[in-house]
Amino acid sequence: MHHESPIKRRKSRQIMVGDVPVGGDAPIAVQSMTNTETCDVDATVGQIQRLQNAGADIVRVSVPSMEAAEAFGEIRKQVTVPLVADIHFDYRIALRVADLGVDCLRINPGNIGREKRIRAVVDKARDMNIPIRIGVNAGSLEKDLQKKYGEPTPAALVESALRHVSILQDLNFDNFKVSVKASDVFMAVDAYRLLAKEIDQPLHLGITEAGGLRAGTVKSAVGLGALLLDGIGDTIRISLAADPVEEVKVGWDLLKSLKLRTKGVNFIACPSCSRQNFDVIKTMNELETRVEDITVPLDVAVIGCVVNGPGEAKEADLGLAGGTPSNLVYVDGQPDSKLTNESLVDDLEKLIRRKAAEKEQSEKNIIARY
Ligand code: SF4
């Protein structure tokens, strides 16, 4: 199996969101956003921790009021993952969360108002080394651009983004990243492709308001997948009308499928058919949940019969090929042991954990040697 992604990434500058590098040759960062009431500090902290445990590199929190800004300060003290504050219009909120330890401001400079206010926010961001995300959205395009283009278009989104970019650049501020989101896959993909040619700052990808868990996942995978295959994108957020933890899981699966990042168990499983010698779907469903905590990258094949079983199982770190009376386990491509259908999930989980521990240890040994 090829472990290296053949994707050639667009060269972008690197910025730092807290201690997470975004852009350049940094791994593509997975983001999500809380959907709790920000003023409910306990609920928001709890959700941020769940997102972090699921693998979120960066978490965004909306800060709609000064009261929420104070709550943000409390939240900041209780979590370790870098936090982006999502702010619309009110520059005082941006100044306050900067003092309270924000790692990135999502604010569009063109929407802040008078130049004095823009300058105050940008100066503060510069002094405190806080990056800004310009976030253009097809649903909230400026009125004059809506008039000029008749409706949101990729060119309109990019023109809007470049307006905000030029405000920052006029103030000699280049510590920013940009998103041009739309719920329409074609519009978002075209907009990002156009924007990628115009600036060298990192791009934050997203298909906005993509929909519920299944349809939103597919839409995001198609749109973001097309861009990532082009080498475009430095950080991603999957927007789902679902538990944000699902956004993180989908983000990871997307990056894993393109071999842009590795983490945890990558299952190779057959869809099953009447030839299966054990219940593939039930086994997969149980295993997937049980081994969610494993972070070391591991390919595990779960294949129902000998048609494709040995071939796939041999390619994986650990593979199971269904057989009667017992199923055959391969480790590192070699036949290793046999498992019967009774306690199959328990036995497989043990083998996966053993292999993960071995791999982790050998990675530690390699690091220690250098
Ligand atoms: S590997 Fe075997 S059980 Fe699985 S789908 Fe193919 S033929 Fe069916």
Side-chain angles (χ1 to χ4, degrees):
M1 198 168 289
H2 301 290
H3 291 283
E4 293 276 309
S5 177
I7 293 172
K8 226 176 147 264
R9 286 178 61 193
R10 158 184 170 265
K11 281 195 173 31
S12 59
R13 298 167 184 241
Q14 192 169 89
I15 65 168
M16 293 298 293
V17 177
D19 58 0
V20 172
V22 174
D25 56 4
I28 295 172
V30 176
Q31 306 204 18
S32 183
M33 186 169 180
T34 54
N35 61 7
T36 48
E37 187 64 59
T38 302
C39 289
D40 185 340
V41 172
D42 288 347
T44 307
V45 165
Q47 192 172 61
I48 293 171
Q49 283 164 344
R50 282 197 301 283
L51 292 169
Q52 192 177 9
N53 289 342
D57 299 300
I58 297 169
V59 175
R60 180 156 51 116
V61 178
S62 60
V63 188
S65 62
M66 283 308 269
E67 195 192 348
E70 296 308 320
F72 179 88
E74 278 311 304
I75 295 163
R76 174 65 291 173
K77 287 185 209 155
Q78 295 183 40
V79 298
T80 53
V81 70
L83 296 180
V84 182
D86 193 278
I87 300 157
H88 290 271
F89 313 116
D90 192 340
Y91 81 113
R92 292 168 310 158
I93 296 176
L95 298 179
R96 184 67 187 136
V97 291
D99 284 333
L100 293 169
V102 80
D103 298 292
C104 178
L105 293 166
R106 190 259 167 147
I107 190 164
N108 289 344
N111 301 347
I112 297 175
R114 287 196 291 276
E115 202 202 316
K116 225 172 105 189
R117 294 179 176 180
I118 301 174
R119 198 177 279 275
V121 172
V122 173
D123 283 349
K124 185 98 178 175
R126 187 187 295 102
D127 289 351
M128 301 187 73
N129 209 13
I130 299 167
I132 289 177
R133 170 162 63 104
I134 295 170
V136 169
N137 198 308
S140 53
L141 209 55
E142 294 95 320
K143 284 207 172 67
D144 68 308
L145 288 175
Q146 284 189 31
K147 218 169 163 190
K148 177 176 169 186
Y149 289 91
E151 58 182 2
T153 65
L157 290 177
V158 172
E159 185 168 339
S160 171
L162 293 178
R163 277 184 187 175
H164 299 295
V165 166
S166 72
I167 292 172
L168 293 183
Q169 284 178 334
D170 288 349
L171 294 168
N172 285 323
F173 186 88
D174 57 16
N175 186 16
F176 62 88
K177 53 183 174 154
V178 186
S179 63
V180 276
K181 298 188 183 182
S183 59
D184 180 274
V185 168
F186 292 99
M187 197 186 306
V189 168
D190 285 349
Y192 278 107
R193 282 180 177 153
L194 288 173
L195 185 63
K197 291 187 199 136
E198 298 289 334
I199 59 170
D200 61 1
Q201 269 77 16
L203 297 183
H204 163 121
L205 302 187
I207 302 294
T208 193
E209 291 115 26
L213 182 55
R214 192 190 61 222
T217 296
V218 173
K219 233 190 249 183
S220 299
V222 170
L224 270 51
L227 290 164
L228 292 167
L229 281 165
D230 279 358
I232 295 171
D234 302 286
T235 175
I236 62 169
R237 190 236 170 153
I238 310 289
S239 302
L240 299 175
D243 181 344
V245 166
E246 297 297 334
E247 300 187 347
V248 177
K249 290 185 187 173
V250 172
W252 269 97
D253 283 342
L254 180 53
L255 296 178
K256 273 157 67 173
S257 69
L258 295 173
K259 299 188 194 304
L260 285 163
R261 286 189 78 175
T262 51
K263 173 180 169 281
V265 179
N266 171 39
F267 279 107
I268 298 109
C270 79
S272 81
C273 73
S274 69
R275 285 201 186 89
Q276 66 181 359
N277 292 293
F278 61 92
D279 189 335
V280 175
I281 294 175
K282 189 165 162 265
T283 308
M284 267 302 304
N285 283 344
E286 276 188 44
L287 269 181
E288 228 171 15
T289 327
R290 287 201 199 183
V291 301
E292 259 179 6
D293 60 301
I294 294 179
T295 52
V296 63
L298 204 66
D299 287 334
V300 175
V302 180
I303 312 288
C305 79
V306 291
V307 172
N308 294 321
E312 289 288 3
K314 278 183 194 166
E315 289 292 312
D317 294 301
L318 187 82
L320 178 76
T324 309
S326 49
N327 311 295
L328 188 55
V329 175
Y330 290 81
V331 177
D332 297 326
Q334 299 300 322
D336 180 83
S337 49
K338 290 189 170 170
L339 296 180
T340 57
N341 286 2
E342 293 85 55
S343 69
L344 184 60
V345 176
D346 288 345
D347 294 341
L348 267 178
E349 185 189 347
K350 272 186 215 139
L351 288 171
I352 292 172
R353 290 197 180 280
R354 196 180 73 191
K355 189 71 197 145
E358 269 172 36
K359 227 178 155 183
E360 203 161 8
Q361 192 51 47
S362 75
E363 279 177 12
K364 274 189 198 145
N365 292 347
I366 293 170
I367 292 167
R369 234 178 284 144
Y370 285 95

